[in-house]
Amino acid sequence: KETFDGHQVLRIAPRDEAQLALVKDMEDMMEFELDFWKGVTEVATHVDVRVPFHSLQSTKTYLESQDIKYSIMIEDLQVMLDEEQEEMDSAARDAEPRN
Amino acid sequence: TDSFDFSRYHTLNEIYSFQDMLVAENPKMVSKIVIGRSYEGRPLNVLKFSTGGTNRPAIWIDTGIHSREWVTQASGTWFAKKIVTDYGSDPALTAILDTMDIFLEIVTNPDGYYYTHNTNRMWRKTRKPNSGSSCVGVDPNRNWDAGFGGAGASSNPCSETYHGPSAHSESEVKSIVDFVKSHGNLKAFLSIHSYSQMLLYPYGYTRTVAKDQAELHAVAEKAITDLASLYGTRYRYGSIITTIYQASGGTIDWTYNQGIKYSYTFELRDTGRYGFILPANQIIPTAKETWLALMVIMDHTYKNLY
């Protein structure tokens, strides 16, 4: 099962059309292996992107060097997935007929 | 199915079992049609809700075409139970089903859904290998013959929005295409995604304004107003290309071009900070609010048959 330890989801808030274009350019940076959860639409709407651990630093450097505002929406994706799985497992256990 | 736990996420097999149980419990109203097979050979199950007649005007609802968007399959399961529960007690739904049929495909991308449970929770596409590439899968919402291959989809098999080698190359898509064409009397087509709280209508591949744009816009406005009335979840609405971005090869552009006027895509909630890893405790609230919007569109369709 693929794990996502250290993957973060960044919520990017482009300030203007120029920054929107710079974020759009990130879609072609295949080496970063970015996964756009909410793609680039318009300036007023934030962009959510999952960033693998190995490209976190370079992605943040790219954004900060262009003065593009972002926040960390999900600190560690695997932690969230573990919680989701645990919830599913415990609900499934509860659903099992009693002996 | 009364004891089915709609407030948690379920595996593919659990959803398949639910579908069979619902059919067994409601033999006069619910039947299961297998419209095709996925690439890996799984059945593409569509639940048909009908109170009689033959080839009645009908409404199509699908969830889960992007497999990782689990709240959509979970909502689709809840919709199925809601339909059988409300028929006979809710006047609006009863009137709709006394005249029209409803088709509901809950797991539109079963290979992808199975893969998210067992291998990669982030998987979105189909699971068919791409010749000449190590990357697998096609975005089933870029594979339709509507502006196929144009801007707003990727020709790179490794991209999440890869449009595929040709229109309708994916069996998950082609099966729906064949069903829509063979049925020939669908009047509304509602394809449900998550997330970003939007209600969208054609077009996505072109800036051409849909000829029914004014009506589609008015119905969308009413739908998101009813949706927001429950928990205050705020939606944006409009045509795909003006509201989000250019997207070619999309489902509802194709269905609209087939003459199915009331073609809409939903992008369900994330009101918080979870994206499509929406906590299970938000499944039922999401399904309930979405149902209000679906009822607006279905009611309008029923009252404006064409």
Side-chain angles (χ1 to χ4, degrees):
Chain A
K1 196 160 187 176
E2 191 139 352
T3 57
F4 300 90
D5 298 287
H7 289 222
Q8 289 189 335
V9 178
L10 304 184
R11 177 156 282 182
I12 304 172
R15 184 178 55 228
D16 52 33
E17 291 298 332
Q19 290 201 342
L20 202 66
L22 290 169
V23 175
K24 185 87 179 153
D25 290 346
M26 295 170 76
E27 291 176 3
D28 299 325
M29 298 175 185
M30 300 309 280
E31 69 279 13
F32 284 7
E33 288 184 292
L34 301 177
D35 175 11
F36 282 83
W37 284 15
K38 246 167 78 92
V40 171
T41 56
E42 57 188 13
V43 172
T45 312
H46 52 251
V47 175
D48 295 343
V49 58
R50 173 174 64 90
V51 183
F53 180 70
H54 69 78
S55 52
L56 254 185
Q57 198 44 55
S58 28
T59 302
K60 289 178 178 177
T61 302
Y62 175 83
L63 292 170
E64 287 156 12
S65 65
Q66 313 281 356
D67 191 27
I68 298 173
K69 293 283 176 284
Y70 69 88
S71 60
I72 300 175
M73 174 176 148
I74 297 176
E75 280 284 347
D76 186 325
L77 182 57
Q78 191 57 46
V79 169
M80 196 181 246
L81 297 181
D82 291 343
E83 286 166 9
E84 181 183 67
Q85 189 59 50
E86 171 48 35
E87 190 169 0
M88 279 184 69
D89 294 346
S90 66
R93 280 193 298 273
D94 294 350
E96 272 163 17
R98 300 267 176 271
N99 291 335
Chain B
T1 56
D2 289 351
S3 62
F4 188 84
D5 185 355
F6 295 95
S7 68
R8 73 176 178 89
Y9 291 114
H10 290 272
T11 63
L12 181 61
N13 281 339
E14 287 170 338
I15 295 177
Y16 280 162
S17 301
F18 166 83
Q19 291 173 332
D20 291 336
M21 259 190 283
L22 197 72
V23 170
E25 292 166 351
N26 304 276
K28 292 192 176 63
M29 183 204 280
V30 190
S31 56
K32 181 176 84 176
I33 304 170
V34 180
I35 63 169
R37 294 268 161 184
S38 68
Y39 168 74
E40 294 175 342
R42 292 183 174 89
L44 301 173
N45 295 335
V46 174
L47 291 179
K48 176 182 181 182
F49 301 84
S50 179
T51 59
T54 52
N55 201 245
R56 280 178 167 175
I59 294 162
W60 168 279
I61 301 170
D62 69 63
T63 54
I65 197 167
H66 285 149
S67 40
R68 67 188 186 184
E69 299 164 4
W70 284 8
V71 70
T72 68
Q73 297 95 334
S75 297
T77 309
W78 188 90
F79 297 153
K81 183 67 175 174
K82 180 70 170 172
I83 291 170
V84 300
T85 307
D86 277 11
Y87 179 72
S89 59
D90 177 281
L93 181 72
T94 303
I96 292 167
L97 271 174
D98 282 347
T99 308
M100 305 180 77
D101 293 341
I102 296 175
F103 292 94
L104 171 59
E105 185 175 14
I106 296 174
V107 190
T108 307
N109 176 5
D111 296 350
Y113 188 63
Y114 179 85
Y115 199 70
T116 59
H117 277 265
N118 295 282
T119 309
N120 181 344
R121 175 69 179 84
M122 294 296 117
W123 195 262
R124 156 190 167 104
K125 302 191 287 183
T126 61
R127 286 295 305 157
K128 180 155 71 73
N130 295 304
S131 61
S133 169
S134 59
C135 293
V136 169
V138 167
D139 180 347
N141 197 31
R142 297 293 187 284
N143 187 242
W144 299 72
D145 192 11
F148 175 82
S154 172
S155 56
N156 180 342
C158 298
S159 167
E160 291 293 356
T161 57
Y162 175 49
H163 51 55
S166 58
H168 306 164
S169 62
E170 303 310 290
S171 59
E172 295 82 353
V173 169
K174 183 69 165 59
S175 301
I176 300 174
V177 166
D178 294 344
F179 175 80
V180 167
K181 288 182 173 178
S182 67
H183 185 280
N185 202 13
L186 288 179
K187 302 299 180 186
F189 196 103
L190 313 172
S191 190
I192 299 183
H193 294 244
S194 84
Y195 65 102
S196 58
Q197 289 151 224
M198 291 181 192
L199 181 52
L200 304 165
Y201 52 78
Y203 286 101
Y205 72 89
T206 173
R207 291 205 170 277
T208 306
V209 175
K211 62 181 168 45
D212 304 295
Q213 192 269 350
E215 183 184 4
L216 292 172
H217 199 79
V219 172
E221 181 175 15
K222 171 94 174 60
I224 63 130
T225 303
D226 281 26
L227 185 150
S229 68
L230 201 52
Y231 303 110
T233 305
R234 290 175 46 242
Y235 267 55
R236 293 165 58 220
Y237 63 104
S239 72
I240 298 168
I241 198 162
T242 57
T243 311
I244 40 173
Y245 40 51
Q246 185 164 18
S248 60
T251 309
I252 64 166
D253 283 355
W254 182 82
T255 60
Y256 186 74
N257 285 343
Q258 295 302 305
I260 303 175
K261 185 198 299 191
Y262 303 114
S263 289
Y264 287 96
T265 291
F266 280 77
E267 289 281 355
L268 303 187
R269 66 160 76 170
D270 165 35
T271 51
R273 311 177 56 79
Y274 303 99
F276 50 78
I277 317 289
L278 201 66
N281 61 19
Q282 290 197 38
I283 292 171
I284 292 179
T286 303
K288 284 185 175 177
E289 67 186 10
T290 308
W291 182 255
L292 297 179
L294 289 173
M295 277 302 292
V296 166
I297 298 170
M298 296 197 287
D299 188 58
H300 181 87
T301 303
Y302 157 66
K303 290 171 179 166
N304 296 271
L305 285 178
Y306 53 94

